Amino acid sequence: QVQLVESGGGLVQAGGSLRLSCVASGRTFSRYGMGWFRQAPGKEREFVVAISRSGGSTNYADSVKGRFTISRDNAKNTVYLQMNSLKPEDTAVYYCAADTSGSYYGPKYEYEYDYWGQGTQVTVSS
């Protein structure tokens, strides 16, 4: 069983920045591919970014490429999402997810993740 706890969400003006954190329980965090997803009101949850177990490989959605940066600190069981140049369309609940299957790369699809956090709200005002 893996528990994921996100933090760092909030209200920010367009053009601003936020850093989200996701702390995982357990002692095998370095074996998990990790991802961030988001769900805006009235829309389906969508992929944002994923990172491999070592942090050496990342995969970004086109909508956030160049503005968001994912990183991880395996010693702290934590994955981060640095969000810069935020836009109103980035408003959503952001979820982190863990893939414990042993795959090296962080997956892109929801069904490949088996643990999810409770989400943290990000609101970007215009």
Side-chain angles (χ1 to χ4, degrees):
Q1 189 78 9
V2 177
Q3 292 185 324
L4 303 173
V5 180
E6 302 101 332
S7 61
L11 173 63
V12 64
Q13 289 188 333
S17 299
L18 283 174
R19 189 175 83 153
L20 306 184
S21 299
C22 173
V23 180
S25 64
R27 293 179 288 182
T28 56
F29 178 73
S30 62
R31 299 179 188 177
Y32 308 156
M34 298 295 296
W36 286 96
F37 289 74
R38 66 186 182 186
Q39 186 168 22
K43 295 186 176 181
E44 294 187 351
R45 190 156 56 185
E46 65 175 3
F47 170 77
V48 177
V49 60
I51 190 167
S52 61
R53 293 182 298 174
S54 69
S57 178
T58 57
N59 183 15
Y60 291 88
D62 288 343
S63 59
V64 305
K65 204 170 291 184
R67 300 187 299 122
F68 290 12
T69 303
I70 190 172
S71 61
R72 67 188 295 162
D73 185 339
N74 287 344
K76 295 183 178 179
N77 280 19
T78 303
V79 61
Y80 304 98
L81 182 63
Q82 178 66 44
M83 305 186 295
N84 298 330
S85 302
L86 282 161
K87 305 174 181 180
E89 51 264 43
D90 294 319
T91 295
V93 177
Y94 283 71
Y95 300 90
C96 73
D99 165 30
T100 64
S101 70
S103 174
Y104 175 77
Y105 294 100
K108 183 176 180 179
Y109 300 102
E110 285 189 51
Y111 70 85
E112 296 182 275
Y113 290 90
D114 38 8
Y115 293 99
W116 293 81
Q118 81 290 349
T120 185
Q121 177 70 48
V122 171
T123 303
V124 184
S125 63
S126 56

